[in-house]
Amino acid sequence: AQALLTPGDLAGVRVVVSAGGTREPIDPVRFLGNRSSGRQGAALAAEAAARGAEVTLVSANISGEVLAEVRHPSIRVVSVGTAAELSEAMTHESSLADVVVMAAAVADYRPAAVSERKLTKEGGGIPAIELVENEDIVAALASQRRSGQLVVGFAAETPEDASELLARARRKQHRKRVDLLIVNEVGWERGFESPENAVHILGPNGADAGSASGSKRAVAAAIWDAIARAR
Ligand code: CTP
Ligand code: CA
């Protein structure tokens, strides 16, 4: 009952969270993708809604099962497939947002041409798929941010050691001009598809804003604490 009477610390805050991973079509039956399940981003949306925010979750290929876990009256879901669709949705949805969190794993490249018909082995030879670079969505959002709006990026890294992890992350934060960067160490067994996560948080200007580990919901709570401190 207390939760119904006490407004959360994000009451009335307009939040847009992207989550999941883009899929770049090769032909009608194949795509280039990545292993992001969308669970960390979905947990961020759920945590923000529980704390009173008005949330738009831009879902890039998140399964119905994961989305069902985070249904909430204050979460509106917008579904996208490719990086180009994600870019368009984020530009549109973030125009009135107070906080934009870019947790989606975006394909860095897409096939230069999408085959209208399924590629087959009949022609012989191993096909080469020419790639072109996708736009950096979070960098574009950060460069267009309205005054008072916070833009939060993520970085999934597979570093050789901890100091390399943070040095790379700080360069990435500076390059993209995001206010906060959530740094995720990932590997074959870590980060993806798992219920647990561990992150470092870089605050404005690369300042150490702490770290968090545990369930993706617990990590989401720590990330919103850091965002609330930076606002
Ligand atoms: N991102 C984006 N648009 C892209 C690629 C990445 O908005 N085309 C965002 C991701 O959603 C994430 C942040 O940028 O919030 C960092 O993504 P990451 O893949 O770690 O960064 P890249 O700049 O693509 O660098 P890398 O070469 O390490 O992949
Ligand atoms: Ca990338």
Side-chain angles (χ1 to χ4, degrees):
Q2 192 61 25
L4 293 174
L5 299 172
T6 316
D9 63 338
L10 298 175
V13 177
R14 291 164 297 186
V15 166
V16 178
V17 178
S18 74
T22 69
R23 292 179 177 178
E24 311 301 322
I26 297 168
D27 68 19
V29 298
R30 305 185 180 94
F31 57 82
L32 294 176
N34 61 71
R35 289 177 58 203
S36 178
S37 66
R39 282 200 170 83
Q40 184 61 71
L44 280 160
E47 176 68 15
R51 286 160 71 157
E54 288 297 321
V55 182
T56 301
L57 173 59
V58 179
S59 161
N61 307 295
I62 303 178
S63 74
E65 185 191 341
V66 170
L67 285 178
E69 284 168 20
V70 299
R71 256 209 307 265
H72 186 286
S74 300
I75 301 180
R76 187 169 65 92
V77 176
V78 174
S79 294
V80 299
T82 64
E85 290 166 9
L86 177 61
S87 173
E88 194 184 324
M90 290 305 288
T91 303
H92 181 72
E93 299 298 338
S94 64
S95 64
L96 294 175
D98 301 302
V99 182
V100 178
V101 182
M102 191 72 190
V106 186
D108 292 328
Y109 311 100
R110 67 179 183 277
V114 180
S115 172
E116 281 304 315
R117 309 198 47 223
K118 191 187 144 188
L119 302 181
T120 76
K121 288 184 282 189
E122 266 181 12
I126 300 174
I129 299 173
E130 191 193 334
L131 301 177
V132 293
E133 192 162 354
N134 282 326
E135 173 202 12
D136 190 325
I137 300 168
V138 80
L141 293 171
S143 75
Q144 295 154 19
R145 69 157 98 51
R146 61 196 191 91
S147 83
Q149 185 180 66
L150 271 184
V151 178
V152 182
F154 267 70
E157 305 287 352
T158 52
E160 280 185 26
D161 59 58
S163 71
E164 189 206 329
L165 176 76
L166 287 184
R168 268 186 60 80
R170 286 199 169 93
R171 288 197 300 276
K172 195 168 277 186
Q173 181 184 19
H174 185 73
R175 202 162 62 233
K176 295 174 187 270
R177 311 261 175 214
V178 292
D179 298 295
L180 283 89
L181 188 76
I182 315 304
V183 190
N184 228 322
E185 191 174 338
V186 296
W188 293 107
E189 314 291 336
R190 288 216 281 164
F192 296 115
E193 291 151 19
S194 133
E196 303 260 307
N197 201 9
V199 301
H200 298 277
I201 304 173
L202 295 180
N205 303 313
D208 187 345
S211 57
S213 62
S215 70
K216 288 186 173 175
R217 185 62 182 259
V219 168
I223 291 170
W224 281 113
D225 289 344
I227 294 171
R229 279 195 300 273
R231 286 186 79 228

